Amino acid sequence: MANQVISGIKETAQSITGAARPWSDFFDLSAFSFPSSFSDATTRVTQNLTHFRINYTLIISVLLALTLITRPIAILAFVAVGLAWFFLYFAREEPLTIFGFTVDDGVVAVLLIGLTIAALVTTGVWLSALTTVGFGALILFLHAALRGTEDLVTDDLESPYGPMLSTDNSGDYSGI
């Protein structure tokens, strides 16, 4: 059982780190410039958040870990919360069943968010964690707005607006 847990965690960690974009692309100073318009900035943000989502997640996670390092009880609590998220939400392939009742993923997510908030409040690090996430989000948002997207691979840069911006004229209602 323990070997399966460890191998599952290893596989997940490898898939996460394998999905991260190269840090040399992330920090490529030649790709940074001011956006030409607000529209360009919002396009950059949406495309960079999609392209570098794993990198951004890793940065926020490291910042949170550095925040929690001064409170050993908080580290233990968040290891437990992290394991709960891993086993109850991310590593599950079939629906969660408790006493013969199937629990929806949305309910599991809400309960885990509640557990996370309770752990933040109980360990007394909620303000530090909130400040860290806010500061990290600001820095990552600035990165996403200032980093150009011209050199990025286009496989994951589809518009978040999907068919609304399609060049297909089948939805042309100008004759109405």
Side-chain angles (χ1 to χ4, degrees):
M1 175 71 178
N3 289 337
Q4 290 175 334
V5 170
I6 292 171
S7 66
I9 291 173
K10 277 185 181 179
E11 288 175 18
T12 303
Q14 288 171 347
S15 69
I16 288 171
T17 56
R21 301 299 179 169
W23 291 102
S24 58
D25 290 351
F26 187 82
F27 291 114
D28 183 12
L29 295 179
S30 65
F32 285 87
S33 63
F34 286 102
S36 60
S37 65
F38 182 74
S39 174
D40 184 32
T42 57
T43 300
R44 284 183 181 194
V45 167
T46 56
Q47 290 180 348
N48 281 324
L49 286 177
T50 300
H51 190 75
F52 292 114
R53 65 187 172 271
I54 302 297
N55 301 72
Y56 292 144
T57 303
L58 290 172
I59 289 170
I60 293 290
S61 298
V62 167
L63 288 175
L64 277 173
L66 291 173
T67 300
L68 297 177
I69 205 154
T70 60
R71 312 274 309 257
I73 193 70
I75 293 172
L76 293 175
F78 282 98
V79 165
V81 168
L83 288 172
W85 272 97
F86 178 77
F87 288 113
L88 296 175
Y89 195 77
F90 294 113
R92 255 184 329 106
E93 297 203 6
E94 65 251 4
L96 181 64
T97 304
I98 300 176
F99 299 119
F101 295 101
T102 301
V103 182
D104 185 54
D105 281 347
V107 173
V108 174
V110 167
L111 291 174
L112 288 171
I113 289 169
L115 177 68
T116 304
I117 291 170
L120 283 168
V121 172
T122 304
T123 58
V125 295
W126 68 272
L127 186 58
S128 298
L130 186 64
T131 305
T132 300
V133 169
F135 175 73
L138 174 68
I139 297 300
L140 297 180
F141 183 77
L142 284 173
H143 176 273
L146 295 176
R147 196 204 184 285
T149 58
E150 298 81 20
D151 64 331
L152 300 179
V153 179
T154 59
D155 64 347
D156 62 351
L157 294 183
E158 280 189 32
S159 171
Y161 307 108
M164 290 185 345
L165 300 178
S166 174
T167 56
D168 179 21
N169 288 332
S170 64
D172 185 15
Y173 301 108
S174 59
I176 297 177

